Amino acid sequence: MSQTTRLFIAAPLPEDLKEYLTGQADMYKHEAIRLVPIDNLHLTLYFIGNVPASQLNTIQEVTAHMAQQFAPFTLHLEAIEPGPKPRSPRLIWARFKSHDAFAQLSRSLTQALSAEPPLSREPKPHVTLARFRKDQPVPHHLEPFHPHQPVTLQVHEIAVWHSELGSPHPRYSIVQRYPLTGNHSEGKAV
């Protein structure tokens, strides 16, 4: 039986943005909502899941190659709100405006690392701030928050992350970071 590891690809967040998002998420405190610890906040690009530990080197090589194809880009926070479906939300997320570079990078990683073709729907840049407990009804009347001043996320690196399942929250740790070093100013693949 081979040993497995649980992995995903995500962009780390700067400390000041993590503190800002955590502060805004406080307005959603409720017994049916479990806030994500500040150290677990990240911008997911592709969730890999459980893979044989022997595949880690290949995943790191693919991620490093992708990072060399894309230039840094900036995301703009649109709202903090229940999602992804407002009528039947599963989480509270910080939803950023759609961005071509993010979508292309997410799709490229998915295509390179998945046995399945990427989904045709547009990847949504977001940070999960809280999850609804499955054993309690979803609270109603959760108001969205729209920032009064521009809030941005400079995506200048991506990382391979390890996820260790635990209670009440999983523990996430960065395995390896990769700077985005592509030349195209819009962040598109070269």
Side-chain angles (χ1 to χ4, degrees):
M1 190 93 171
S2 68
Q3 185 181 6
T4 62
T5 185
R6 186 175 169 87
L7 302 172
F8 61 93
I9 312 297
L13 305 184
E15 288 303 317
D16 60 341
L17 181 59
K18 290 198 293 190
E19 288 171 14
Y20 173 82
L21 295 175
T22 300
Q24 299 306 324
D26 278 347
M27 70 180 174
Y28 294 105
K29 281 190 175 172
H30 186 281
E31 65 266 5
I33 297 174
R34 193 176 65 236
L35 297 176
V36 173
I38 191 169
D39 291 337
N40 279 3
L41 298 180
H42 61 274
L43 177 78
T44 303
L45 287 150
Y46 175 58
F47 180 75
I48 301 169
N50 287 316
V51 294
S54 60
Q55 289 185 12
L56 178 59
N57 284 343
T58 300
I59 290 167
Q60 289 179 290
E61 288 170 10
V62 167
T63 305
H65 176 73
M66 287 296 166
Q68 294 169 2
Q69 307 304 308
F70 288 82
F73 55 92
T74 302
L75 296 174
H76 298 270
L77 181 64
E78 197 156 30
I80 296 173
E81 62 191 1
K85 296 178 184 174
R87 289 179 186 259
S88 58
R90 292 182 288 114
L91 48 86
I92 304 290
W93 64 358
R95 184 174 50 81
F96 291 83
K97 291 182 181 171
S98 295
H99 195 288
D100 286 345
F102 172 85
Q104 288 179 17
L105 180 54
S106 178
R107 279 199 185 106
S108 296
L109 286 163
T110 304
Q111 198 162 21
L113 295 170
S114 174
E116 304 290 321
L119 297 173
S120 58
R121 68 176 183 261
E122 183 82 5
K124 289 186 165 77
H126 71 276
V127 175
T128 299
L129 302 178
R131 297 186 192 285
F132 293 111
R133 295 181 188 276
K134 293 178 181 169
D135 60 348
Q136 296 189 29
V138 173
H140 296 290
H141 311 297
L142 296 172
E143 295 295 322
F145 168 80
H146 298 277
H148 304 296
Q149 303 292 327
V151 176
T152 60
L153 167 55
Q154 311 287 329
V155 180
H156 56 83
E157 68 178 347
I158 59 176
V160 174
W161 297 62
H162 176 255
S163 170
E164 186 179 331
L165 295 178
S167 183
H169 303 281
R171 281 189 38 220
Y172 301 150
S173 57
I174 292 177
V175 177
Q176 185 69 47
R177 294 172 182 257
Y178 305 94
L180 299 181
T181 58
N183 294 328
H184 197 284
S185 62
E186 292 299 308
K188 294 179 182 173
V190 291

